[in-house]
Amino acid sequence: RAAVAIAGRRSYIGEVLGALLPDDALELTVAPRYYDYQLLASYRPSREHELGLFLLGSDDRLELLLESPADFDPALTSNQFSSSERFYRALVSHRFTPNRQLSNRLDLAYGYTTEEDALAQLRIDIETHQLQLRDELRHDLGAALTLVYGFDGQMTWLDGFVRAPALSKEGEPDEFDLSELNSSRARERRVEPAGYVIAELEPLAGWQLFPGLRLDRFDGTDQTLLQPRFSTRVALGGGATLKGAVGLFAQQPTSDE
């Protein structure tokens, strides 16, 4: 009724390089480090209910010491470069199957990501929180017809800071003046709810049809879009399947766009 799996790993490449290479072998002193871990658990208190938990985390860091930063640019104020990225994910799921005709799956997920990059006085820091909810109900109506109803919801909070030279404009040479830096901070919150319905039809044995509709609300662009979609599968025998799909697909522009 219950099961748990745990795993983890760590990279020791920084220690290995430091022990094997002489001090003057590289112009850069490298100290990378990486580790991640996962936990997967499931519990079934009864035949109708099944609970799941998935945790994932990662930490990746790299630090470089430049022996001669002036060789890259005389305006660099130090010889340090560092880059790090950490992310954590948690997913809780519940599957409810009261009978053969109905089944419902609920997923709730949270994610956190932070990225920090620095080269002397240059810096990029980005922190993101994301909350996702998905609920899907399958209803078997018999006669080769199943209806799937679902809701997708996503909320994103982003905080970003950049200290860097101004980007060159179109037609200008790609030259960066590190003596003149611009600093900017952006904070953003996005809410993206969506609902969908899919019909699963099998008019003939081995031939399946999947007409559907999806309705998305994009608050970043203040748009509500209805997207019709259709796909089909035909079993050709011998384990081969012919698939085809057509539809309207849309997504909100990313933060950098």
Side-chain angles (χ1 to χ4, degrees), residues 79-96:
N79 67 337
Q80 294 185 344
F81 167 77
S82 63
S83 177
S84 68
E85 182 176 357
R86 300 188 305 274
F87 70 85
Y88 311 101
R89 300 288 186 270
L91 171 64
V92 179
S93 63
H94 174 227
R95 184 187 296 275
F96 176 54

Side-chain angles (χ1 to χ4, degrees), residues 106-178:
L106 176 66
D107 294 313
L108 179 63
Y110 168 74
Y112 171 78
T113 302
T114 177
E115 179 180 349
E116 299 174 355
D117 301 305
L119 172 59
Q121 67 269 42
L122 308 178
R123 191 165 188 88
I124 299 177
D125 297 335
I126 301 176
E127 184 179 54
T128 306
H129 298 263
Q130 191 172 77
L131 185 65
Q132 295 174 292
L133 174 67
R134 181 182 178 92
D135 192 13
E136 184 174 281
L137 174 67
R138 295 180 60 88
H139 189 186
D140 185 357
L141 301 176
L145 172 61
T146 299
L147 291 180
V148 180
Y149 321 90
F151 171 82
D152 272 329
Q154 178 174 292
M155 295 185 66
T156 304
W157 297 266
L158 183 142
D159 186 354
F161 173 78
V162 176
R163 185 192 299 125
L167 297 177
S168 58
K169 297 181 180 179
E170 185 176 357
E172 296 180 351
D174 293 331
E175 297 179 356
F176 302 100
D177 185 359
L178 298 185

